[in-house]
Amino acid sequence: MKRALLLSLFAAAAAWVQITPAQVTKAETTDISGERIRAHVKFLASDLLEGRGVGTRGGDLASEYIATEFALDGLKPAGDNGTYFQNFALVGADPQPNTSLSVAVGGVTLPFRWLDDFVGVTYQQKPTVDFDAEAVFVGHGIVAPEFQWDDYQGVDVHGKVVVFFTGEPPSRDPKFFNGEALTYYGRWSYKFEEAGRRGAAGAIIIHTTPTASYGWNVVRSSWSKEELEMKLAPGAPAVGFAGWVTKEAGERIAATQNTTADQWLALADTRGFRAKPLPLRFRIHASAKIREMRTRNVIGKVEGSDPQLKNEAVMFSAHWDHLGVGEAIRGDAIYNGAQDNATGCGVLLELARAWAAQPQKPRRSALFISVAAEEAGLLGSEYYGKHPVMAAGKTALALNYDSLPPFGKISDVQVHGAERTTIFPVVEEAARRFHLTISPDPRPLAGTYYRSDHFSFARVGIPAFSIDSGHDLAGQPPGTGNRLSDEYNEARYHQPSDEYHDAWDFSGMELYARFGFAINREAANAPKLPTWHAGDEFLAARVASGVREP
Ligand SMILES: [Zn+2]
């Protein structure tokens, strides 16, 4: 009964993307090898590559290696001027402790202490920015027409400081901010961008642990070191100061208005919220060390076999960068990034080789993209999204690999975001073929979908998701995968101890590679381009890119 239901569901869904199960052919993936993935990982994670930092010799060596492998596999260069490289500039802004912030209200000045009460950096890529400006409370700082939500309605915030909370209005309705799961509107990066687009001089988040999903210690440590950003185009909007204040600092500001931060948050959560001009001024001196550097994405292409459809593509991606050489821990200063993300690069390179070796190429072309500067905030993939080799509206599907665990045979996989697209029946069918269960996101509220490179592609409308490790390992007690991942996060994640070991078992990685290969092969041969389901936050971008609603 259950099986029959599944089959009929699949048939109905498959008909929707105009393929029938009979056409879902067995992918020629027998040639994908975990041991070849191992060879790439061992090299990319070696001390010789010095942690593959952006703008360093080790990073250049890593990207050169990937380009060389693409060439050996017979991929065509798809970067700038007939090369495999897509070059771009980054700007580092390192906030300095003489940054100051105070609030003037009713003849009184409230000072706030750097790191203890507030953090922040200018997004204008200048060494100093000073202003003394009026403030407006804008709730969650969200403008989401598809949910009939506009926190900026009726106010002009040009030259002012906007104050808001991160997160989004609470919802259990899947049609309103995707229910309990976080949308991109809830992320601080969106809110600072929106404030910049509206001409705000500054933007301040009042931190609370529930709205941010992490404590002040995380904000404090990640905002007190150099921030890498895409180099601003001349005249591009950016806030002069993007900052956070603690809940306690927020309470002091709210108290001047005879209210509390919790009351402000309750207002922000309420349908029909209207922005409130605040009778106070922010005085801000933002000071930062600014430097410019260059880096590059690596892009290779395998041409499709169909004379028309070869002008469309499927994509595979994995970021090559890691944290370089940094603070020594137990005498080791090289942040090798073996799992994060030499593993994804190893899978990408093996997929490129196997795809190029197919005697009969799929109808659409395939792009293999190793992006830079993921660790700095998905910058390489953002650059690609804005400067695609194949237009977003000509790109069927993007599959990303980031930090795959080397613990051997797997029984499940996570593909968050896939269920939001019309390609999902193909993903489910591939999972069945490889005897993989699709496991749910254990923390939907944390917004993990927005923290890996596939998100940069989704933002321009491309159906995109990462193929991530599941909760379990084959033949082990349930949750073993989770337990080993927790151990990794605790002991090795973003530390010099994320190193390659000969004892690593690559059989799980081999299966993640085969699974992605099979999915993209179907997407490359399907008659129609996949898209996002009705009501999805990325559907408007997909339609704008020229792919009509299903
Ligand atoms: Zn990382």
Side-chain angles (χ1 to χ4, degrees), residues 200-539:
I204 309 272
I205 295 171
I206 300 175
H207 173 262
T208 78
T209 299
T211 52
S213 87
Y214 39 76
W216 179 254
N217 58 329
V218 174
V219 179
R220 175 186 169 124
S221 66
S222 55
W223 285 75
S224 54
K225 56 184 186 230
E226 184 184 58
E227 151 106 357
L228 287 185
E229 296 154 17
M230 203 71 75
K231 187 178 158 87
L232 281 179
V239 289
F241 185 76
W244 297 67
V245 296
T246 60
K247 173 94 189 287
E248 294 68 32
E251 292 294 5
R252 285 168 63 202
I253 298 167
T256 68
Q257 309 300 311
N258 299 314
T259 184
T260 66
D262 287 328
Q263 281 173 326
W264 269 351
L265 181 57
L267 282 179
D269 284 345
T270 307
R271 171 62 94 186
F273 167 82
R274 283 287 182 278
K276 290 166 70 75
L278 302 174
L280 52 80
R281 300 185 75 84
F282 275 89
R283 290 180 183 150
I284 293 176
H285 171 71
S287 167
K289 277 193 186 139
I290 303 292
R291 66 177 178 131
E292 193 174 319
M293 71 196 79
R294 299 195 66 77
T295 189
R296 55 197 187 176
N297 295 330
V298 193
I299 313 177
K301 179 178 164 182
V302 177
E303 197 120 286
S305 57
D306 183 283
Q308 295 302 318
L309 291 183
K310 72 175 186 182
N311 299 314
E312 299 179 347
V314 296
M315 277 168 58
F316 291 100
S317 62
H319 76 86
W320 59 255
D321 64 296
H322 194 57
L323 304 173
V325 176
E327 194 184 339
I329 299 179
R330 286 182 290 279
D332 186 0
I334 299 176
Y335 289 65
N336 303 75
Q339 186 167 328
D340 180 11
N341 183 31
T343 56
C345 294
V347 166
L348 181 76
L349 288 171
E350 177 60 353
L351 284 167
R353 193 199 57 73
W355 195 281
Q358 293 173 97
Q360 171 66 25
K361 302 288 185 289
R363 297 166 72 195
R364 290 190 176 84
S365 297
L367 290 169
F368 295 84
I369 308 180
S370 192
V371 293
E374 186 273 348
E375 303 290 5
L378 318 182
L379 298 181
S381 54
E382 179 185 336
Y383 187 85
Y384 180 85
K386 289 175 178 164
H387 305 87
V389 163
M390 194 79 86
K394 298 282 182 194
T395 305
L397 178 64
L399 298 182
N400 184 58
Y401 289 92
D402 191 351
S403 298
L404 299 162
F407 307 133
K409 293 225 166 12
I410 52 170
S411 56
D412 66 330
V413 63
Q414 297 187 62
V415 287
H416 308 314
E419 73 288 355
R420 295 159 59 172
T421 72
T422 59
I423 202 76
F424 194 51
V426 168
V427 177
E428 290 182 300
E429 173 57 17
R432 271 194 288 278
R433 194 188 310 154
F434 292 105
H435 308 289
L436 291 170
T437 308
I438 295 176
S439 288
D441 186 347
R443 297 179 67 217
L445 295 175
T448 35
Y449 185 79
Y450 309 97
R451 295 179 187 187
S452 204
D453 287 308
H454 58 256
F455 167 56
S456 296
F457 309 134
R459 289 184 84 178
V460 294
I462 302 168
F465 58 92
S466 285
I467 293 178
D468 277 328
S469 57
H471 308 321
D472 302 322
L473 290 178
Q476 305 275 347
T480 303
N482 277 346
R483 183 174 58 73
L484 292 173
S485 290
D486 290 348
E487 254 174 55
Y488 166 78
N489 285 330
E490 190 65 32
R492 299 189 294 284
Y493 171 75
H494 283 198
Q495 296 174 45
S497 48
D498 183 3
E499 291 185 308
Y500 167 80
H501 297 280
D502 280 329
W504 280 10
D505 182 335
F506 284 78
S507 54
M509 260 180 260
E510 179 179 303
L511 198 47
Y512 295 131
R514 288 169 184 264
F515 177 63
F517 189 104
I519 294 166
N520 250 349
R521 199 164 178 282
E522 293 301 332
N525 284 325
K528 282 174 75 178
L529 291 171
T531 186
W532 299 88
H533 286 316
D536 195 273
E537 65 188 300
F538 302 118
L539 180 60

Side-chain angles (χ1 to χ4, degrees), residues 114-189:
W114 174 244
L115 301 184
D116 293 332
D117 299 326
F118 81 100
V119 290
V121 68
T122 178
Y123 276 12
Q124 292 179 348
Q125 303 181 352
K126 293 189 281 198
T128 55
V129 174
D130 288 274
F131 55 87
D132 177 337
E134 290 171 34
V136 184
F137 174 58
V138 294
H140 284 288
I142 293 172
V143 181
E146 66 273 49
F147 305 129
Q148 295 86 50
W149 193 277
D150 184 355
D151 285 330
Y152 284 89
Q153 195 179 325
V155 287
D156 177 7
V157 300
H158 207 270
K160 298 176 185 169
V161 172
V162 289
V163 178
F164 49 77
F165 292 95
T166 193
E168 59 193 17
S171 168
R172 287 178 179 274
D173 174 3
K175 293 200 166 59
F176 184 61
F177 289 98
N178 287 8
E180 287 193 76
L182 195 71
T183 70
Y184 184 55
Y185 292 117
R187 300 273 296 153
W188 55 260
S189 46

